[in-house]
Amino acid sequence: MIVLDLCCDQDHRFEGWFASASAFEDQQARNLVSCPVCASTALRRLPSAPYVHTRGPASTPPPPAQTEAPASASSPAVAAEVRQLLRHMSRTAENVGERLPEEARRIHYGETEARDIRGQASAEELEALLDEGIMVLPLPPPEDDLH
Ligand SMILES: [Zn+2]
C-alpha cells in the first residue's frame, strides 16, 4: 500500500490509500477516486514532500481526519479504520510466536479452539498457509510488545 496526498479542484487536501501509484492512476482515469469533502473527481497528486506550501492563509482548513463522511474505498476514514482494526487484532490476538503456522493450521482444520493468533512465520510458511486457504494478514508491530 502507498499513501498519496491528493487535492481536488476546491483545494481540499486528503490522503488516499492505493495498492500502487499505477493503481491510483487507473482508478482516477475511471473517476473512481473522489474528494471526501465535495466528491469532486478533479484530483491531482501533491508532492509527498513533508512540507507543501499552499497559497495564502489556510482559508479552508483540511477536514477533520475521521468524520462520519460517507466512506468510499479510497477514503482516509476507511484506511484509518483498517489501521485501527489491525491494531486491535494485534493487541487481542494470542501471541503464539514461531508456532504461528502450526497453530493457524490446527485452527483452520478445527483441531483447536478458533481464535485470533499472531506470531512469526517466514515468507515461505505464509505462502504455504495461503495456498491452503488459511487467512494470514501482516500486522503492524504492536507497541506494547517492544520491550
Ligand atoms: Zn473537494
PDB file of all heavy atoms in Angstrom, residues 73-111:
ATOM      1  N   ALA A  73     -14.027   3.428  -0.931  1.00  0.00           N
ATOM      2  CA  ALA A  73     -12.900   2.506  -0.775  1.00  0.00           C
ATOM      3  C   ALA A  73     -11.590   3.248  -0.583  1.00  0.00           C
ATOM      4  O   ALA A  73     -10.682   2.746   0.058  1.00  0.00           O
ATOM      5  CB  ALA A  73     -12.810   1.605  -1.998  1.00  0.00           C
ATOM      6  N   SER A  74     -11.504   4.454  -1.139  1.00  0.00           N
ATOM      7  CA  SER A  74     -10.208   5.121  -1.092  1.00  0.00           C
ATOM      8  C   SER A  74     -10.193   6.244  -0.053  1.00  0.00           C
ATOM      9  O   SER A  74      -9.249   6.986   0.013  1.00  0.00           O
ATOM     10  CB  SER A  74      -9.875   5.682  -2.468  1.00  0.00           C
ATOM     11  OG  SER A  74     -10.917   6.528  -2.885  1.00  0.00           O
ATOM     12  N   SER A  75     -11.260   6.368   0.746  1.00  0.00           N
ATOM     13  CA  SER A  75     -11.305   7.490   1.666  1.00  0.00           C
ATOM     14  C   SER A  75     -10.350   7.284   2.835  1.00  0.00           C
ATOM     15  O   SER A  75     -10.088   6.156   3.240  1.00  0.00           O
ATOM     16  CB  SER A  75     -12.731   7.687   2.177  1.00  0.00           C
ATOM     17  OG  SER A  75     -12.937   6.846   3.288  1.00  0.00           O
ATOM     18  N   PRO A  76      -9.849   8.368   3.377  1.00  0.00           N
ATOM     19  CA  PRO A  76      -8.939   8.233   4.525  1.00  0.00           C
ATOM     20  C   PRO A  76      -9.612   7.573   5.714  1.00  0.00           C
ATOM     21  O   PRO A  76      -8.959   6.899   6.498  1.00  0.00           O
ATOM     22  CB  PRO A  76      -8.580   9.680   4.855  1.00  0.00           C
ATOM     23  CG  PRO A  76      -9.070  10.511   3.726  1.00  0.00           C
ATOM     24  CD  PRO A  76     -10.100   9.725   2.974  1.00  0.00           C
ATOM     25  N   ALA A  77     -10.925   7.758   5.861  1.00  0.00           N
ATOM     26  CA  ALA A  77     -11.616   7.170   7.007  1.00  0.00           C
ATOM     27  C   ALA A  77     -11.506   5.658   6.980  1.00  0.00           C
ATOM     28  O   ALA A  77     -11.295   5.018   8.007  1.00  0.00           O
ATOM     29  CB  ALA A  77     -13.083   7.591   7.007  1.00  0.00           C
ATOM     30  N   VAL A  78     -11.641   5.083   5.799  1.00  0.00           N
ATOM     31  CA  VAL A  78     -11.554   3.627   5.689  1.00  0.00           C
ATOM     32  C   VAL A  78     -10.145   3.162   6.029  1.00  0.00           C
ATOM     33  O   VAL A  78      -9.952   2.211   6.774  1.00  0.00           O
ATOM     34  CB  VAL A  78     -11.959   3.161   4.277  1.00  0.00           C
ATOM     35  CG1 VAL A  78     -11.562   1.701   4.064  1.00  0.00           C
ATOM     36  CG2 VAL A  78     -13.453   3.332   4.087  1.00  0.00           C
ATOM     37  N   ALA A  79      -9.170   3.872   5.504  1.00  0.00           N
ATOM     38  CA  ALA A  79      -7.793   3.489   5.795  1.00  0.00           C
ATOM     39  C   ALA A  79      -7.550   3.518   7.301  1.00  0.00           C
ATOM     40  O   ALA A  79      -6.922   2.624   7.862  1.00  0.00           O
ATOM     41  CB  ALA A  79      -6.837   4.426   5.073  1.00  0.00           C
ATOM     42  N   ALA A  80      -8.097   4.537   7.956  1.00  0.00           N
ATOM     43  CA  ALA A  80      -7.901   4.650   9.401  1.00  0.00           C
ATOM     44  C   ALA A  80      -8.600   3.510  10.113  1.00  0.00           C
ATOM     45  O   ALA A  80      -8.083   2.960  11.082  1.00  0.00           O
ATOM     46  CB  ALA A  80      -8.438   5.995   9.887  1.00  0.00           C
ATOM     47  N   GLU A  81      -9.774   3.133   9.608  1.00  0.00           N
ATOM     48  CA  GLU A  81     -10.496   2.025  10.224  1.00  0.00           C
ATOM     49  C   GLU A  81      -9.718   0.729  10.099  1.00  0.00           C
ATOM     50  O   GLU A  81      -9.639  -0.045  11.038  1.00  0.00           O
ATOM     51  CB  GLU A  81     -11.857   1.846   9.544  1.00  0.00           C
ATOM     52  CG  GLU A  81     -13.007   2.361  10.366  1.00  0.00           C
ATOM     53  CD  GLU A  81     -14.301   2.312   9.575  1.00  0.00           C
ATOM     54  OE1 GLU A  81     -14.583   1.274   8.973  1.00  0.00           O
ATOM     55  OE2 GLU A  81     -15.008   3.336   9.562  1.00  0.00           O
ATOM     56  N   VAL A  82      -9.162   0.529   8.925  1.00  0.00           N
ATOM     57  CA  VAL A  82      -8.376  -0.694   8.709  1.00  0.00           C
ATOM     58  C   VAL A  82      -7.185  -0.711   9.653  1.00  0.00           C
ATOM     59  O   VAL A  82      -6.890  -1.718  10.291  1.00  0.00           O
ATOM     60  CB  VAL A  82      -7.905  -0.785   7.243  1.00  0.00           C
ATOM     61  CG1 VAL A  82      -6.854  -1.893   7.081  1.00  0.00           C
ATOM     62  CG2 VAL A  82      -9.093  -1.058   6.332  1.00  0.00           C
ATOM     63  N   ARG A  83      -6.524   0.437   9.746  1.00  0.00           N
ATOM     64  CA  ARG A  83      -5.369   0.504  10.646  1.00  0.00           C
ATOM     65  C   ARG A  83      -5.783   0.198  12.078  1.00  0.00           C
ATOM     66  O   ARG A  83      -5.104  -0.504  12.804  1.00  0.00           O
ATOM     67  CB  ARG A  83      -4.726   1.890  10.574  1.00  0.00           C
ATOM     68  CG  ARG A  83      -3.545   1.912   9.623  1.00  0.00           C
ATOM     69  CD  ARG A  83      -2.910   3.275   9.610  1.00  0.00           C
ATOM     70  NE  ARG A  83      -3.881   4.291   9.163  1.00  0.00           N
ATOM     71  CZ  ARG A  83      -3.540   5.522   8.818  1.00  0.00           C
ATOM     72  NH1 ARG A  83      -2.310   5.889   8.869  1.00  0.00           N
ATOM     73  NH2 ARG A  83      -4.442   6.386   8.425  1.00  0.00           N
ATOM     74  N   GLN A  84      -6.950   0.743  12.469  1.00  0.00           N
ATOM     75  CA  GLN A  84      -7.432   0.545  13.832  1.00  0.00           C
ATOM     76  C   GLN A  84      -7.750  -0.933  14.074  1.00  0.00           C
ATOM     77  O   GLN A  84      -7.412  -1.492  15.107  1.00  0.00           O
ATOM     78  CB  GLN A  84      -8.687   1.379  14.031  1.00  0.00           C
ATOM     79  CG  GLN A  84      -8.857   1.860  15.444  1.00  0.00           C
ATOM     80  CD  GLN A  84      -9.916   2.932  15.502  1.00  0.00           C
ATOM     81  OE1 GLN A  84     -10.880   2.911  14.754  1.00  0.00           O
ATOM     82  NE2 GLN A  84      -9.757   3.884  16.401  1.00  0.00           N
ATOM     83  N   LEU A  85      -8.397  -1.534  13.077  1.00  0.00           N
ATOM     84  CA  LEU A  85      -8.744  -2.949  13.187  1.00  0.00           C
ATOM     85  C   LEU A  85      -7.488  -3.790  13.326  1.00  0.00           C
ATOM     86  O   LEU A  85      -7.409  -4.677  14.179  1.00  0.00           O
ATOM     87  CB  LEU A  85      -9.525  -3.369  11.941  1.00  0.00           C
ATOM     88  CG  LEU A  85      -9.920  -4.853  11.886  1.00  0.00           C
ATOM     89  CD1 LEU A  85     -10.969  -5.169  12.931  1.00  0.00           C
ATOM     90  CD2 LEU A  85     -10.446  -5.221  10.509  1.00  0.00           C
ATOM     91  N   LEU A  86      -6.496  -3.505  12.486  1.00  0.00           N
ATOM     92  CA  LEU A  86      -5.259  -4.285  12.551  1.00  0.00           C
ATOM     93  C   LEU A  86      -4.599  -4.104  13.908  1.00  0.00           C
ATOM     94  O   LEU A  86      -4.078  -5.049  14.489  1.00  0.00           O
ATOM     95  CB  LEU A  86      -4.301  -3.844  11.438  1.00  0.00           C
ATOM     96  CG  LEU A  86      -4.715  -4.296  10.031  1.00  0.00           C
ATOM     97  CD1 LEU A  86      -3.753  -3.745   8.999  1.00  0.00           C
ATOM     98  CD2 LEU A  86      -4.795  -5.804   9.925  1.00  0.00           C
ATOM     99  N   ARG A  87      -4.633  -2.875  14.403  1.00  0.00           N
ATOM    100  CA  ARG A  87      -4.035  -2.618  15.707  1.00  0.00           C
ATOM    101  C   ARG A  87      -4.775  -3.379  16.799  1.00  0.00           C
ATOM    102  O   ARG A  87      -4.165  -3.959  17.685  1.00  0.00           O
ATOM    103  CB  ARG A  87      -4.068  -1.126  16.020  1.00  0.00           C
ATOM    104  CG  ARG A  87      -2.762  -0.531  15.749  1.00  0.00           C
ATOM    105  CD  ARG A  87      -2.562   0.835  16.296  1.00  0.00           C
ATOM    106  NE  ARG A  87      -1.607   1.485  15.407  1.00  0.00           N
ATOM    107  CZ  ARG A  87      -0.368   1.100  15.245  1.00  0.00           C
ATOM    108  NH1 ARG A  87       0.103   0.085  15.914  1.00  0.00           N
ATOM    109  NH2 ARG A  87       0.436   1.707  14.418  1.00  0.00           N
ATOM    110  N   HIS A  88      -6.107  -3.344  16.700  1.00  0.00           N
ATOM    111  CA  HIS A  88      -6.924  -4.058  17.673  1.00  0.00           C
ATOM    112  C   HIS A  88      -6.576  -5.541  17.630  1.00  0.00           C
ATOM    113  O   HIS A  88      -6.365  -6.176  18.658  1.00  0.00           O
ATOM    114  CB  HIS A  88      -8.400  -3.841  17.366  1.00  0.00           C
ATOM    115  CG  HIS A  88      -9.307  -4.659  18.222  1.00  0.00           C
ATOM    116  ND1 HIS A  88      -9.552  -4.355  19.536  1.00  0.00           N
ATOM    117  CD2 HIS A  88     -10.007  -5.786  17.955  1.00  0.00           C
ATOM    118  CE1 HIS A  88     -10.374  -5.263  20.032  1.00  0.00           C
ATOM    119  NE2 HIS A  88     -10.658  -6.144  19.099  1.00  0.00           N
ATOM    120  N   MET A  89      -6.495  -6.098  16.430  1.00  0.00           N
ATOM    121  CA  MET A  89      -6.193  -7.512  16.295  1.00  0.00           C
ATOM    122  C   MET A  89      -4.809  -7.821  16.854  1.00  0.00           C
ATOM    123  O   MET A  89      -4.604  -8.847  17.497  1.00  0.00           O
ATOM    124  CB  MET A  89      -6.250  -7.922  14.817  1.00  0.00           C
ATOM    125  CG  MET A  89      -7.660  -8.074  14.314  1.00  0.00           C
ATOM    126  SD  MET A  89      -7.685  -8.385  12.547  1.00  0.00           S
ATOM    127  CE  MET A  89      -6.883  -9.989  12.481  1.00  0.00           C
ATOM    128  N   SER A  90      -3.873  -6.930  16.584  1.00  0.00           N
ATOM    129  CA  SER A  90      -2.519  -7.219  17.040  1.00  0.00           C
ATOM    130  C   SER A  90      -2.437  -7.155  18.560  1.00  0.00           C
ATOM    131  O   SER A  90      -1.534  -7.710  19.167  1.00  0.00           O
ATOM    132  CB  SER A  90      -1.522  -6.257  16.403  1.00  0.00           C
ATOM    133  OG  SER A  90      -1.695  -4.963  16.943  1.00  0.00           O
ATOM    134  N   ARG A  91      -3.404  -6.473  19.201  1.00  0.00           N
ATOM    135  CA  ARG A  91      -3.406  -6.412  20.675  1.00  0.00           C
ATOM    136  C   ARG A  91      -4.127  -7.608  21.269  1.00  0.00           C
ATOM    137  O   ARG A  91      -3.706  -8.148  22.274  1.00  0.00           O
ATOM    138  CB  ARG A  91      -4.127  -5.145  21.135  1.00  0.00           C
ATOM    139  CG  ARG A  91      -3.250  -3.929  21.009  1.00  0.00           C
ATOM    140  CD  ARG A  91      -3.508  -2.964  22.164  1.00  0.00           C
ATOM    141  NE  ARG A  91      -2.925  -1.670  21.830  1.00  0.00           N
ATOM    142  CZ  ARG A  91      -3.597  -0.740  21.185  1.00  0.00           C
ATOM    143  NH1 ARG A  91      -4.839  -0.946  20.839  1.00  0.00           N
ATOM    144  NH2 ARG A  91      -3.025   0.404  20.904  1.00  0.00           N
ATOM    145  N   THR A  92      -5.253  -8.003  20.648  1.00  0.00           N
ATOM    146  CA  THR A  92      -6.083  -9.030  21.261  1.00  0.00           C
ATOM    147  C   THR A  92      -5.663 -10.435  20.859  1.00  0.00           C
ATOM    148  O   THR A  92      -5.938 -11.384  21.573  1.00  0.00           O
ATOM    149  CB  THR A  92      -7.563  -8.839  20.883  1.00  0.00           C
ATOM    150  OG1 THR A  92      -7.655  -8.883  19.456  1.00  0.00           O
ATOM    151  CG2 THR A  92      -8.086  -7.516  21.387  1.00  0.00           C
ATOM    152  N   ALA A  93      -5.003 -10.552  19.716  1.00  0.00           N
ATOM    153  CA  ALA A  93      -4.660 -11.890  19.246  1.00  0.00           C
ATOM    154  C   ALA A  93      -3.645 -12.531  20.189  1.00  0.00           C
ATOM    155  O   ALA A  93      -2.771 -11.862  20.730  1.00  0.00           O
ATOM    156  CB  ALA A  93      -4.095 -11.811  17.831  1.00  0.00           C
ATOM    157  N   GLU A  94      -3.786 -13.830  20.351  1.00  0.00           N
ATOM    158  CA  GLU A  94      -2.845 -14.560  21.194  1.00  0.00           C
ATOM    159  C   GLU A  94      -1.518 -14.691  20.462  1.00  0.00           C
ATOM    160  O   GLU A  94      -1.468 -15.094  19.301  1.00  0.00           O
ATOM    161  CB  GLU A  94      -3.417 -15.950  21.499  1.00  0.00           C
ATOM    162  CG  GLU A  94      -2.487 -16.797  22.340  1.00  0.00           C
ATOM    163  CD  GLU A  94      -3.004 -18.223  22.502  1.00  0.00           C
ATOM    164  OE1 GLU A  94      -4.235 -18.415  22.360  1.00  0.00           O
ATOM    165  OE2 GLU A  94      -2.202 -19.107  22.752  1.00  0.00           O
ATOM    166  N   ASN A  95      -0.465 -14.346  21.148  1.00  0.00           N
ATOM    167  CA  ASN A  95       0.852 -14.438  20.519  1.00  0.00           C
ATOM    168  C   ASN A  95       1.375 -15.864  20.629  1.00  0.00           C
ATOM    169  O   ASN A  95       1.682 -16.342  21.703  1.00  0.00           O
ATOM    170  CB  ASN A  95       1.817 -13.454  21.186  1.00  0.00           C
ATOM    171  CG  ASN A  95       3.114 -13.343  20.393  1.00  0.00           C
ATOM    172  OD1 ASN A  95       3.358 -14.098  19.451  1.00  0.00           O
ATOM    173  ND2 ASN A  95       3.934 -12.387  20.764  1.00  0.00           N
ATOM    174  N   VAL A  96       1.459 -16.542  19.501  1.00  0.00           N
ATOM    175  CA  VAL A  96       1.942 -17.922  19.520  1.00  0.00           C
ATOM    176  C   VAL A  96       3.362 -18.016  18.982  1.00  0.00           C
ATOM    177  O   VAL A  96       3.892 -19.107  18.802  1.00  0.00           O
ATOM    178  CB  VAL A  96       1.004 -18.857  18.717  1.00  0.00           C
ATOM    179  CG1 VAL A  96      -0.363 -18.905  19.363  1.00  0.00           C
ATOM    180  CG2 VAL A  96       0.908 -18.412  17.271  1.00  0.00           C
ATOM    181  N   GLY A  97       3.949 -16.839  18.726  1.00  0.00           N
ATOM    182  CA  GLY A  97       5.350 -16.809  18.319  1.00  0.00           C
ATOM    183  C   GLY A  97       5.608 -17.643  17.080  1.00  0.00           C
ATOM    184  O   GLY A  97       4.853 -17.577  16.101  1.00  0.00           O
ATOM    185  N   GLU A  98       6.640 -18.466  17.162  1.00  0.00           N
ATOM    186  CA  GLU A  98       7.050 -19.225  15.973  1.00  0.00           C
ATOM    187  C   GLU A  98       6.140 -20.411  15.689  1.00  0.00           C
ATOM    188  O   GLU A  98       6.309 -21.081  14.676  1.00  0.00           O
ATOM    189  CB  GLU A  98       8.500 -19.695  16.150  1.00  0.00           C
ATOM    190  CG  GLU A  98       9.467 -18.527  16.032  1.00  0.00           C
ATOM    191  CD  GLU A  98      10.882 -18.895  16.456  1.00  0.00           C
ATOM    192  OE1 GLU A  98      11.096 -20.082  16.795  1.00  0.00           O
ATOM    193  OE2 GLU A  98      11.732 -18.008  16.455  1.00  0.00           O
ATOM    194  N   ARG A  99       5.194 -20.681  16.610  1.00  0.00           N
ATOM    195  CA  ARG A  99       4.238 -21.759  16.339  1.00  0.00           C
ATOM    196  C   ARG A  99       3.100 -21.278  15.451  1.00  0.00           C
ATOM    197  O   ARG A  99       2.122 -22.007  15.246  1.00  0.00           O
ATOM    198  CB  ARG A  99       3.685 -22.322  17.643  1.00  0.00           C
ATOM    199  CG  ARG A  99       4.723 -23.069  18.462  1.00  0.00           C
ATOM    200  CD  ARG A  99       4.074 -23.753  19.650  1.00  0.00           C
ATOM    201  NE  ARG A  99       3.462 -22.774  20.568  1.00  0.00           N
ATOM    202  CZ  ARG A  99       2.172 -22.652  20.794  1.00  0.00           C
ATOM    203  NH1 ARG A  99       1.319 -23.417  20.184  1.00  0.00           N
ATOM    204  NH2 ARG A  99       1.724 -21.744  21.631  1.00  0.00           N
ATOM    205  N   LEU A 100       3.202 -20.042  14.916  1.00  0.00           N
ATOM    206  CA  LEU A 100       2.099 -19.479  14.139  1.00  0.00           C
ATOM    207  C   LEU A 100       1.608 -20.414  13.025  1.00  0.00           C
ATOM    208  O   LEU A 100       0.417 -20.703  12.956  1.00  0.00           O
ATOM    209  CB  LEU A 100       2.494 -18.111  13.571  1.00  0.00           C
ATOM    210  CG  LEU A 100       1.408 -17.482  12.695  1.00  0.00           C
ATOM    211  CD1 LEU A 100       0.264 -16.975  13.537  1.00  0.00           C
ATOM    212  CD2 LEU A 100       1.955 -16.351  11.857  1.00  0.00           C
ATOM    213  N   PRO A 101       2.499 -20.913  12.149  1.00  0.00           N
ATOM    214  CA  PRO A 101       1.993 -21.758  11.046  1.00  0.00           C
ATOM    215  C   PRO A 101       1.269 -22.992  11.567  1.00  0.00           C
ATOM    216  O   PRO A 101       0.191 -23.347  11.088  1.00  0.00           O
ATOM    217  CB  PRO A 101       3.272 -22.148  10.287  1.00  0.00           C
ATOM    218  CG  PRO A 101       4.291 -21.136  10.688  1.00  0.00           C
ATOM    219  CD  PRO A 101       3.950 -20.729  12.097  1.00  0.00           C
ATOM    220  N   GLU A 102       1.849 -23.615  12.602  1.00  0.00           N
ATOM    221  CA  GLU A 102       1.263 -24.821  13.176  1.00  0.00           C
ATOM    222  C   GLU A 102      -0.116 -24.526  13.793  1.00  0.00           C
ATOM    223  O   GLU A 102      -1.099 -25.209  13.524  1.00  0.00           O
ATOM    224  CB  GLU A 102       2.243 -25.318  14.250  1.00  0.00           C
ATOM    225  CG  GLU A 102       1.854 -26.580  14.956  1.00  0.00           C
ATOM    226  CD  GLU A 102       2.722 -26.768  16.210  1.00  0.00           C
ATOM    227  OE1 GLU A 102       3.898 -26.324  16.172  1.00  0.00           O
ATOM    228  OE2 GLU A 102       2.231 -27.305  17.197  1.00  0.00           O
ATOM    229  N   GLU A 103      -0.178 -23.447  14.602  1.00  0.00           N
ATOM    230  CA  GLU A 103      -1.445 -23.103  15.251  1.00  0.00           C
ATOM    231  C   GLU A 103      -2.494 -22.702  14.224  1.00  0.00           C
ATOM    232  O   GLU A 103      -3.669 -23.053  14.345  1.00  0.00           O
ATOM    233  CB  GLU A 103      -1.229 -21.952  16.247  1.00  0.00           C
ATOM    234  CG  GLU A 103      -0.607 -22.380  17.557  1.00  0.00           C
ATOM    235  CD  GLU A 103      -1.491 -23.370  18.321  1.00  0.00           C
ATOM    236  OE1 GLU A 103      -2.689 -23.081  18.538  1.00  0.00           O
ATOM    237  OE2 GLU A 103      -0.981 -24.433  18.680  1.00  0.00           O
ATOM    238  N   ALA A 104      -2.074 -21.938  13.215  1.00  0.00           N
ATOM    239  CA  ALA A 104      -3.025 -21.490  12.186  1.00  0.00           C
ATOM    240  C   ALA A 104      -3.653 -22.702  11.506  1.00  0.00           C
ATOM    241  O   ALA A 104      -4.842 -22.731  11.217  1.00  0.00           O
ATOM    242  CB  ALA A 104      -2.316 -20.603  11.166  1.00  0.00           C
ATOM    243  N   ARG A 105      -2.829 -23.725  11.241  1.00  0.00           N
ATOM    244  CA  ARG A 105      -3.348 -24.947  10.606  1.00  0.00           C
ATOM    245  C   ARG A 105      -4.322 -25.673  11.540  1.00  0.00           C
ATOM    246  O   ARG A 105      -5.372 -26.131  11.121  1.00  0.00           O
ATOM    247  CB  ARG A 105      -2.210 -25.902  10.257  1.00  0.00           C
ATOM    248  CG  ARG A 105      -1.570 -25.554   8.957  1.00  0.00           C
ATOM    249  CD  ARG A 105      -0.760 -26.680   8.378  1.00  0.00           C
ATOM    250  NE  ARG A 105      -0.108 -26.184   7.174  1.00  0.00           N
ATOM    251  CZ  ARG A 105       1.033 -25.519   7.198  1.00  0.00           C
ATOM    252  NH1 ARG A 105       1.654 -25.317   8.332  1.00  0.00           N
ATOM    253  NH2 ARG A 105       1.556 -25.040   6.086  1.00  0.00           N
ATOM    254  N   ARG A 106      -3.932 -25.782  12.825  1.00  0.00           N
ATOM    255  CA  ARG A 106      -4.792 -26.502  13.760  1.00  0.00           C
ATOM    256  C   ARG A 106      -6.146 -25.813  13.874  1.00  0.00           C
ATOM    257  O   ARG A 106      -7.190 -26.465  13.924  1.00  0.00           O
ATOM    258  CB  ARG A 106      -4.119 -26.591  15.138  1.00  0.00           C
ATOM    259  CG  ARG A 106      -2.896 -27.504  15.118  1.00  0.00           C
ATOM    260  CD  ARG A 106      -2.251 -27.579  16.481  1.00  0.00           C
ATOM    261  NE  ARG A 106      -3.170 -28.090  17.489  1.00  0.00           N
ATOM    262  CZ  ARG A 106      -3.030 -27.901  18.801  1.00  0.00           C
ATOM    263  NH1 ARG A 106      -2.014 -27.180  19.255  1.00  0.00           N
ATOM    264  NH2 ARG A 106      -3.885 -28.397  19.648  1.00  0.00           N
ATOM    265  N   ILE A 107      -6.138 -24.463  13.903  1.00  0.00           N
ATOM    266  CA  ILE A 107      -7.400 -23.726  13.970  1.00  0.00           C
ATOM    267  C   ILE A 107      -8.196 -23.950  12.689  1.00  0.00           C
ATOM    268  O   ILE A 107      -9.386 -24.233  12.707  1.00  0.00           O
ATOM    269  CB  ILE A 107      -7.132 -22.226  14.200  1.00  0.00           C
ATOM    270  CG1 ILE A 107      -6.577 -22.019  15.610  1.00  0.00           C
ATOM    271  CG2 ILE A 107      -8.394 -21.411  13.973  1.00  0.00           C
ATOM    272  CD1 ILE A 107      -6.072 -20.623  15.868  1.00  0.00           C
ATOM    273  N   HIS A 108      -7.477 -23.844  11.567  1.00  0.00           N
ATOM    274  CA  HIS A 108      -8.147 -23.982  10.267  1.00  0.00           C
ATOM    275  C   HIS A 108      -8.818 -25.345  10.138  1.00  0.00           C
ATOM    276  O   HIS A 108      -9.907 -25.466   9.601  1.00  0.00           O
ATOM    277  CB  HIS A 108      -7.126 -23.787   9.156  1.00  0.00           C
ATOM    278  CG  HIS A 108      -7.740 -23.807   7.781  1.00  0.00           C
ATOM    279  ND1 HIS A 108      -8.530 -22.781   7.306  1.00  0.00           N
ATOM    280  CD2 HIS A 108      -7.693 -24.744   6.792  1.00  0.00           C
ATOM    281  CE1 HIS A 108      -8.925 -23.085   6.077  1.00  0.00           C
ATOM    282  NE2 HIS A 108      -8.433 -24.252   5.738  1.00  0.00           N
ATOM    283  N   TYR A 109      -8.157 -26.371  10.610  1.00  0.00           N
ATOM    284  CA  TYR A 109      -8.705 -27.725  10.474  1.00  0.00           C
ATOM    285  C   TYR A 109      -9.523 -28.153  11.693  1.00  0.00           C
ATOM    286  O   TYR A 109      -9.842 -29.327  11.856  1.00  0.00           O
ATOM    287  CB  TYR A 109      -7.576 -28.716  10.190  1.00  0.00           C
ATOM    288  CG  TYR A 109      -6.918 -28.433   8.856  1.00  0.00           C
ATOM    289  CD1 TYR A 109      -5.617 -27.957   8.776  1.00  0.00           C
ATOM    290  CD2 TYR A 109      -7.629 -28.608   7.669  1.00  0.00           C
ATOM    291  CE1 TYR A 109      -5.030 -27.670   7.556  1.00  0.00           C
ATOM    292  CE2 TYR A 109      -7.049 -28.319   6.446  1.00  0.00           C
ATOM    293  CZ  TYR A 109      -5.749 -27.857   6.388  1.00  0.00           C
ATOM    294  OH  TYR A 109      -5.178 -27.560   5.183  1.00  0.00           O
ATOM    295  N   GLY A 110      -9.848 -27.182  12.566  1.00  0.00           N
ATOM    296  CA  GLY A 110     -10.743 -27.471  13.678  1.00  0.00           C
ATOM    297  C   GLY A 110     -10.137 -28.337  14.767  1.00  0.00           C
ATOM    298  O   GLY A 110     -10.854 -28.967  15.535  1.00  0.00           O
ATOM    299  N   GLU A 111      -8.812 -28.389  14.839  1.00  0.00           N
ATOM    300  CA  GLU A 111      -8.186 -29.230  15.860  1.00  0.00           C
ATOM    301  C   GLU A 111      -8.011 -28.494  17.179  1.00  0.00           C
ATOM    302  O   GLU A 111      -7.635 -29.084  18.187  1.00  0.00           O
ATOM    303  CB  GLU A 111      -6.811 -29.725  15.373  1.00  0.00           C
ATOM    304  CG  GLU A 111      -6.919 -30.684  14.204  1.00  0.00           C
ATOM    305  CD  GLU A 111      -5.565 -30.886  13.524  1.00  0.00           C
ATOM    306  OE1 GLU A 111      -4.542 -30.610  14.173  1.00  0.00           O
ATOM    307  OE2 GLU A 111      -5.553 -31.295  12.361  1.00  0.00           O
TER     308      GLU A 111
END
